Amino acid sequence: MEHSDTEERFVSHAPGYWPEAADEQWHDWKWQLKNRVTTLAGLEKHLTITSGERAGVLLAGTKLALAVTPHYFNLIDRSDPSCPIRRQVIPSIEEGYDSPYDMSDPCGEDASMPVPGLVHRYPDRVLFLVTDRCASYCRYCTRSRVVSGVGEQEMHLDFEQAFAYLEKHKEVRDVLLSGGDALVLSDDKLEGLLSRLRAIRHIEFLRIGTRVPIFLPQRITPQLCAMLKKYHPLWMSVHVNHPRELTTEVRNALGRLADAGIPLGNQSVLLSGVNDNVATMKELVHKLLLCRVRPYYLYQCDLIRGSSHLRTSVAKGLEIIEGLRGFTTGYAVPQFVIDAPGGGGKVPLNPGYVVYHDKEKVVIRNFEGRIFEYPEPGAAHAVTRHEELLPA
Ligand SMILES: *Cc1c(COP(=O)(O)O)cnc(C)c1O
């Protein structure tokens, strides 16, 4: 049964700025990729841009390319200069400003690459970069040094070397495909990778980190889903930052993935002027649950070069978690993390629910701010109580 109340929260913005596109073109992911907005002229055809954005587009040509699919571009509110969708994908002059803390490789990935494209940071899992291209480019991309083909470094890929490393390293049980975005590869190319990984006996768990279902929902074809489901257990992490990104088309694409048995998680990045308030995040996580997506991580924005205008305080992230935990479904609450600068990996941050803790007891605070005490097993008074229960 369809519930109209929740239906109304998902809208389609098609064809929007592309009234001339035929239906079958619009629904063709290759048409979407071919018709991306990638130039100043293309941008100005649809939007009145500011001088800061114009300068940003010129900068983008040597840092991180401009590219936005028609589907995602349509989510931009023309009348709102601080539109949260616009801030994520339209370059700005502020990208030319490097704060003293900015880094080109904020998570220290290059130093943890035993072979090109494979980041082995944690004991039992690896990040496998399989392409340097995405459907659209996020202005705060943590891998902007190598992504989109115009930045300071080239992404070196050598799949045979990566497979040889994985075959040798029997401790690796989890492989995360990322890039770039693995879902911009053709079905055949992707299947070649997945089947090769599945042939390695000690690899148990495969996952794909992707923003394609959001930028390019047309890519999630029934054929793609039928192919993916042959490689289970296969999980997917998508990347949604603002509730407006969950359109009718995106919800349907996520539904096709969920129907193929793929458990879906979401990784949001906390961004100034995009999602840095409890109300927006609450609407986002509720809409994600309606799309059968479990909010997984909320990331503090990495110290990527030229992203200081998009970063928020760490306190803001804690405030958002505090505003969700207890007030809404536990499944809707992501884990807030900082990917530690310099290569420490993801570190969880939690609001201070532990008020006091020693060998005897832990004093805790609930979501309403009320204080409770839990005795530790070894606590003197707990032992006394236990002995009182024994028969005399
Ligand atoms: C994020 C990440 C992973 C996966 O971490 P999980 O917490 O298991 O999701 C693995 N390797 C690298 C290098 C990562 O950055």
Side-chain angles (χ1 to χ4, degrees):
M1 206 178 105
E2 298 283 323
H3 300 275
S4 59
D5 284 5
T6 62
E7 285 303 291
E8 281 162 16
R9 288 156 68 182
F10 296 89
V11 294
S12 169
H13 297 262
Y17 299 101
W18 282 264
E20 72 287 0
D23 232 35
E24 65 271 21
Q25 291 179 313
W26 186 264
H27 295 295
D28 174 3
W29 66 275
K30 293 194 170 141
W31 182 92
Q32 289 278 337
L33 284 181
K34 215 176 294 157
N35 286 276
R36 292 185 299 180
V37 175
T38 56
T39 61
L40 194 56
L43 192 57
E44 292 195 294
K45 209 166 116 191
H46 305 295
L47 283 183
T48 309
I49 64 168
T50 65
S51 59
E53 286 172 328
R54 185 171 297 113
V57 173
L58 298 176
L59 265 178
T62 56
K63 290 176 92 100
L64 173 71
L66 160 70
V68 190
T69 56
H71 166 81
Y72 194 79
F73 195 92
N74 270 344
L75 309 187
I76 295 175
D77 179 353
R78 246 187 252 233
S79 62
D80 177 8
S82 55
C83 167
I85 303 300
R86 188 170 184 146
R87 276 178 80 71
Q88 292 184 64
V89 291
I90 306 299
S92 126
I93 182 68
E94 290 158 299
E95 289 175 26
Y97 171 68
D98 290 339
S99 97
Y101 307 103
D102 289 5
M103 296 181 253
S104 62
D105 179 15
C107 302
E109 292 179 336
D110 289 345
S112 303
M113 260 188 217
V115 300
L118 215 54
V119 186
H120 195 175
R121 149 111 10 99
Y122 298 106
D124 67 341
R125 56 205 190 281
V126 296
L127 175 66
F128 187 6
L129 308 180
V130 298
T131 171
D132 64 353
R133 299 306 148 97
C134 292
S136 301
Y137 294 107
C138 309
R139 302 323 302 171
Y140 50 89
C141 176
T142 193
R143 236 163 263 134
S144 58
R145 70 190 183 284
V146 285
V147 159
S148 88
V150 301
E152 55 192 275
Q153 266 171 252
E154 224 179 294
M155 185 182 278
H156 295 289
L157 301 175
D158 185 334
F159 291 168
E160 282 317 311
Q161 244 187 296
F163 292 131
Y165 179 90
L166 291 171
E167 272 159 4
K168 208 166 73 197
H169 287 262
K170 296 204 161 38
E171 72 277 18
V172 177
R173 42 161 288 287
D174 169 2
V175 176
L176 161 52
L177 296 186
S178 184
D181 197 315
L183 292 189
V184 299
L185 301 178
S186 68
D187 288 8
D188 284 350
K189 186 118 194 221
L190 192 56
E191 179 155 26
L193 284 168
L194 293 172
S195 59
R196 188 74 166 73
L197 291 169
R198 269 285 165 248
I200 303 174
R201 297 281 298 274
H202 55 270
I203 297 176
E204 300 168 4
F205 186 73
L206 296 176
R207 45 179 165 163
I208 301 176
T210 175
R211 210 176 183 186
V212 156
I214 317 308
F215 282 146
L216 187 62
Q218 296 83 357
R219 173 71 186 93
I220 312 302
T221 60
Q223 294 85 328
L224 175 70
C225 296
M227 183 276 281
L228 293 175
K229 73 189 281 193
K230 292 193 273 174
Y231 298 96
H232 276 314
L234 174 76
W235 292 42
M236 206 176 268
S237 294
V238 299
H239 173 179
V240 190
N241 291 326
H242 189 277
R244 198 186 304 161
E245 293 168 51
L246 294 170
T247 65
T248 309
E249 296 85 349
V250 170
R251 187 198 50 181
N252 292 341
L254 293 169
R256 290 192 287 277
L257 291 167
D259 285 345
I262 302 170
L264 300 171
N266 182 60
Q267 316 196 80
S268 290
V269 180
L270 182 59
L271 296 168
S272 162
V274 173
N275 56 10
D276 56 340
N277 62 80
V278 176
T280 302
M281 281 303 294
K282 196 182 255 183
E283 192 188 342
L284 173 63
V285 297
H286 286 167
K287 282 185 80 174
L288 284 166
L289 292 191
L290 293 175
C291 295
R292 294 185 274 169
V293 180
R294 159 79 153 107
Y296 180 40
Y297 283 137
L298 172 65
Y299 288 95
Q300 177 68 15
C301 187
D302 291 330
L303 298 171
I304 189 72
R305 285 177 67 183
S307 72
S308 56
H309 61 295
L310 290 170
R311 302 204 289 262
T312 61
S313 67
V314 174
K316 183 53 79 177
L318 292 170
E319 179 195 318
I320 287 169
I321 300 303
E322 222 173 330
L324 296 175
R325 174 65 64 199
F327 292 99
T328 193
T329 313
Y331 279 124
V333 185
Q335 173 66 58
F336 181 42
V337 291
I338 295 183
D339 212 324
K346 296 174 184 73
V347 179
L349 277 93
N350 294 299
Y353 294 117
V354 177
V355 177
Y356 178 83
H357 191 191
D358 65 14
K359 282 199 195 99
E360 306 266 304
K361 62 173 184 269
V362 58
V363 180
I364 50 179
R365 177 175 66 86
N366 82 345
F367 71 106
E368 300 158 301
R370 291 161 63 208
I371 304 292
F372 300 85
E373 204 179 297
Y374 183 95
E376 288 287 20
H381 60 280
V383 172
T384 316
R385 257 183 228 157
H386 181 75
E387 281 168 350
E388 277 164 10
L389 291 174
L390 293 172

